[in-house]
Amino acid sequence: MVLHAGLIHYFLNMTALWFIGKAVEQCHGFAAAAIIFIIPAVGGTIMSAIFLPEYISVGASGGIFGLIGACIADICINWSLLFSKHVNSSDEGTRFRHLKVR
């Protein structure tokens, strides 16, 4: 999670963490976002070491994919709320507006 393959790799990971991590942290809190990031990051590194022992694993991709998976799971769980008239009662005319479910 600390070692990166260059500046471009580092900045792309930091940009992904900035946007995706910020969204997950706002919805679930700091502790949950940290757990959602750290467990897949460590698990991805361990799986990479087991299945690709001849290569060095760098970056925070496992943690970033864990955060993306949490976002997708949150969307699937709250799918019925996304376009619900109960939640979106203020703007009847807008069909696809952004929604923050709490």
Side-chain angles (χ1 to χ4, degrees):
M1 290 185 297
V2 179
L3 185 64
H4 285 82
L7 287 176
I8 294 173
H9 185 239
Y10 176 76
F11 285 117
L12 287 174
N13 276 349
M14 291 303 112
T15 303
L17 281 174
W18 178 267
F19 290 108
I20 299 167
K22 183 178 173 183
V24 172
E25 185 179 0
Q26 285 177 348
C27 290
H28 301 288
F30 175 78
I35 291 169
I36 291 170
F37 176 78
I38 291 172
I39 291 175
V42 172
T45 302
I46 291 171
M47 296 301 282
S48 176
I50 290 172
F51 289 107
L52 300 169
E54 63 274 358
Y55 296 104
I56 296 173
S57 178
V58 295
S61 299
I64 293 170
F65 283 119
L67 291 173
I68 293 170
C71 288
I72 293 171
D74 198 24
I75 290 169
C76 291
I77 289 170
N78 296 310
W79 186 258
S80 63
L81 296 175
L82 288 177
F83 306 112
S84 170
K85 289 192 184 272
H86 175 70
V87 176
N88 298 318
S89 63
S90 62
D91 291 329
E92 293 293 329
T94 58
R95 183 174 172 196
F96 295 111
R97 71 182 182 125
H98 289 51
L99 170 69
K100 183 176 179 182
V101 179
R102 291 182 187 214

